[in-house]
Amino acid sequence: MDSSTKVFLFRYYHAGTWWTLDIPATDKADAEARLKKLPLARYDGELAVQIPAKVPSFVVRTFVWFRNLTRRSG
């Protein structure tokens, strides 16, 4: 995300609970336009981990190497 991008928050009700959704966009109109495209979305996978940007790159590479190694052997 560049400095002109903001995160806009949306919520929806599903299965008896309120859920939130954050959409990065340049303004509210852009966020609402992106929200309308969600029915066209495709499943890409499951988020395994979020690593803060301040973590040194060798830590990230080591984590990914280890995760890939354990997935191959299992």
Side-chain angles (χ1 to χ4, degrees):
M1 282 193 327
D2 61 38
S3 62
S4 65
T5 304
K6 300 173 186 171
V7 177
F8 293 85
L9 306 174
F10 295 87
R11 66 181 167 146
Y12 61 96
Y13 192 78
H14 176 72
T17 306
W18 282 98
W19 297 85
T20 59
L21 174 68
D22 58 315
I23 298 181
T26 55
D27 57 29
K28 183 182 174 196
D30 182 31
E32 289 173 336
R34 292 169 186 260
L35 183 63
K36 288 178 183 176
K37 301 242 177 161
L38 286 179
L40 304 174
R42 295 181 312 204
Y43 179 78
D44 283 335
E46 182 177 317
L47 179 65
V49 66
Q50 283 185 308
I51 301 172
K54 293 183 180 181
V55 173
S57 63
F58 75 89
V59 173
V60 175
R61 286 193 307 270
T62 303
F63 173 80
V64 170
W65 173 83
F66 182 74
R67 187 197 66 185
N68 291 341
L69 180 68
T70 58
R71 285 190 176 180
R72 278 189 218 132
S73 63

